[in-house]
Amino acid sequence: MPREPRRHRQSLRRRPLTFSPFARAMAMATLSKKARREIIQEPKLQAKDFPTSSGNGFPNHGKDETEQSHSSDSEQFEGVVQADFAFFDPKPSDFHGVKVLLQTYLDNKHWDISGFVDLILGQPTVGTVVKIENDEDDGVYSVVSALNLGRYKNSKCITELKDYLLKLCQDMNVIDKLKSLLAEQAHDVGLMVSQRVVNLPPQLLPPLYDALFDEVEWATEDEPTEELRSSFRFKFYLIISKIYKHKNADQIKGTTKSGDEALIFPKPEDEIFLELSSWSFSFPLHSQQVTTNELRNYRLMGLVMAVEASKVPIFRKQLHSLIDE
């Protein structure tokens, strides 16, 4: 049955979203000379004030580029704005919005991204899109899903994604493990796809991931065939994301006197995933990165992680603790 939209009302105001340790530089980078916001208790946001997938205000969403301003640089955002965010099953009409969110998912690679979006939208029982309720533009602000690499092994987009990862992995301690997950173990691997606009309220993250993992569990019991039920019994999750890595990251332990950290996580959950991962590797990206004083010593990097599905309960608990603190 179609899922009833679940409302998540959030408040936003003039200062960056900052919660330890990921957001300081990223928030300043994406909100410099614009409306600066922080989450407060009682929101008041009109849909037109948010970037949408059909408007110029929508960020070129790889987390590595400055979002385009939805007000001029000279304007100052005043007051409080309100929005009712709701979770929905993916549907075909979400194609454009989801594709915009995923446009730098594999850096600047030319690949079958349309086919990839079709896979996500063709799996409505496991996956969520976040929208503003009753928004005329029907803009998509986040997409979360998990695709079985074995089930979709013959899809062009999955073949291209696998080849992309294998060519980029230069870590000899990881390459054989990666090959195994992408080949003989592929049926046990869920490719976790999680992309969103940079200023999505962080309070949405715990229920968003809770929804994903709950749906995966339900699918192992509720899908109509054993083949489909089996395809959601993941043993591993493969995650492709982005980080900012300090140029002297290998020498940094903790935080430097200047306040620099070895890694900055544009998405706070990635720090938890990395800590829980069985293995990971990073690689340079070519897509344009934010250039600010705060990030002058950092380079935008791709990050690939493998996380055992058995670690999901730990992840969920730690994510709630991080966002609620």
Side-chain angles (χ1 to χ4, degrees), residues 224-259:
T225 68
E226 175 56 30
E227 181 180 5
L228 284 175
R229 291 191 291 271
S230 177
S231 71
F232 290 104
R233 296 189 180 109
F234 300 127
K235 295 181 180 178
F236 295 93
Y237 286 100
L238 187 66
I239 303 165
I240 304 172
S241 194
K242 296 179 175 69
I243 54 174
Y244 283 92
K245 189 173 184 178
H246 197 278
K247 62 183 181 182
N248 298 320
D250 295 337
Q251 285 77 46
I252 295 177
K253 294 182 179 180
T255 304
T256 66
K257 292 182 179 179
S258 61

Side-chain angles (χ1 to χ4, degrees), residues 72-93:
S72 70
D73 285 352
S74 61
E75 287 180 335
Q76 289 294 324
F77 179 81
E78 298 294 343
V80 184
V81 289
Q82 175 175 307
D84 286 327
F85 290 96
F87 293 1
F88 296 90
D89 296 322
K91 61 182 187 296
S93 61

Side-chain angles (χ1 to χ4, degrees), residues 40-294:
I40 60 176
Q41 193 98 56
E42 185 61 34
K44 223 176 166 56
L45 175 68
Q46 301 300 323
K48 62 184 176 62
D49 291 315
F50 260 93
T52 67
S53 56
S54 59
N56 293 331
F58 195 88
N60 205 4
H61 188 67
K63 309 300 182 304
D64 50 334
E65 295 188 88
T66 304
E67 68 172 291
Q68 297 180 18
S69 176
H70 24 278
S71 61
S72 70
D73 285 352
S74 61
E75 287 180 335
Q76 289 294 324
F77 179 81
E78 298 294 343
V80 184
V81 289
Q82 175 175 307
D84 286 327
F85 290 96
F87 293 1
F88 296 90
D89 296 322
K91 61 182 187 296
S93 61
D94 296 322
F95 180 87
H96 175 68
V98 172
K99 186 174 181 180
V100 170
L101 285 178
L102 293 171
Q103 62 186 337
T104 58
Y105 183 65
L106 296 187
D107 196 18
N108 61 354
K109 176 179 173 58
H110 295 287
W111 66 302
D112 184 20
I113 185 174
S114 293
F116 191 62
V117 175
D118 285 339
L119 292 186
I120 293 171
L121 301 183
Q123 184 180 275
T125 57
V126 174
T128 297
V129 294
V130 176
K131 303 179 183 182
I132 291 178
E133 198 165 19
N134 301 320
D135 180 10
E136 293 181 0
D137 291 334
D138 204 29
V140 178
Y141 296 85
S142 178
V143 59
V144 174
S145 190
L147 303 174
N148 185 290
L149 291 182
R151 177 182 177 185
Y152 300 115
K153 64 181 179 180
N154 295 323
S155 299
K156 179 183 178 183
C157 59
I158 296 299
T159 299
E160 291 177 335
L161 182 145
K162 290 179 180 180
D163 291 342
Y164 171 80
L165 294 180
L166 289 171
K167 289 178 181 178
L168 286 172
C169 183
Q170 302 297 316
D171 189 332
M172 294 299 103
N173 295 319
V174 169
I175 186 64
D176 288 340
K177 299 173 184 177
L178 175 63
K179 288 179 179 177
S180 179
L181 281 193
L182 298 180
E184 59 264 27
Q185 291 182 276
H187 189 75
D188 297 324
V189 180
L191 176 68
M192 187 185 299
V193 182
S194 178
Q195 297 285 97
R196 58 182 180 267
V197 296
V198 294
N199 58 346
L200 190 78
Q203 283 82 350
L204 293 180
L205 298 182
L208 193 57
Y209 278 99
D210 285 345
L212 173 67
F213 294 125
D214 285 346
E215 287 177 342
V216 168
E217 183 178 355
W218 297 336
T220 64
E221 301 175 356
D222 298 342
E223 290 293 334
T225 68
E226 175 56 30
E227 181 180 5
L228 284 175
R229 291 191 291 271
S230 177
S231 71
F232 290 104
R233 296 189 180 109
F234 300 127
K235 295 181 180 178
F236 295 93
Y237 286 100
L238 187 66
I239 303 165
I240 304 172
S241 194
K242 296 179 175 69
I243 54 174
Y244 283 92
K245 189 173 184 178
H246 197 278
K247 62 183 181 182
N248 298 320
D250 295 337
Q251 285 77 46
I252 295 177
K253 294 182 179 180
T255 304
T256 66
K257 292 182 179 179
S258 61
D260 289 345
E261 299 159 0
L263 303 175
I264 291 177
F265 297 85
K267 295 163 63 180
E269 67 270 29
D270 285 343
E271 183 173 13
I272 302 174
F273 280 133
L274 185 58
E275 291 175 352
L276 297 176
S277 65
S278 301
W279 52 261
S280 65
F281 70 92
S282 60
F283 55 92
L285 292 176
H286 300 93
S287 52
Q288 182 181 354
Q289 73 176 70
V290 175
T291 55
T292 68
N293 188 54
E294 290 82 3

